[in-house]
Amino acid sequence: IDKLNNSDIDVIIYEPSINQSHFEGYEVINDLESFKSRSEIIICNRLSDELTDVASKIFTRDVYGNN
């Protein structure tokens, strides 16, 4: 991720349990709807029902939707 600091890529993090506006220099968003609307791609560990409306933006290792 450090290489992204010097690129034209804006990285935002969705994490509702972080009460800071930034983490490791990246913006933290606590509102899922705002995160989804601002994101061009979403990288996640697991798929969840909350992400079905943005499935075309999702990249995940959770190929079968159960891990």
Side-chain angles (χ1 to χ4, degrees):
I1 290 183
D2 286 337
K3 292 180 182 179
L4 295 175
N5 283 330
N6 297 323
S7 72
D8 293 333
I9 298 171
D10 292 327
V11 175
I12 56 175
I13 300 169
Y14 170 70
E15 180 51 65
S17 66
I18 295 178
N19 294 325
Q20 301 170 270
S21 63
H22 287 79
F23 177 77
E24 301 273 333
Y26 298 101
E27 182 181 2
V28 176
I29 297 177
N30 301 96
D31 179 67
L32 183 58
E33 294 306 316
S34 175
F35 175 76
K36 291 190 293 188
S37 69
R38 290 185 53 193
S39 299
E40 292 181 33
I41 65 168
I42 298 172
I43 301 170
C44 59
N45 287 331
R46 288 173 225 76
L47 293 175
S48 68
D49 292 338
E50 292 94 359
L51 298 174
T52 57
D53 61 328
V54 291
S56 63
K57 297 181 179 186
I58 301 290
F59 290 86
T60 182
R61 65 182 185 97
D62 188 5
V63 177
Y64 300 106
N66 62 6
N67 186 1

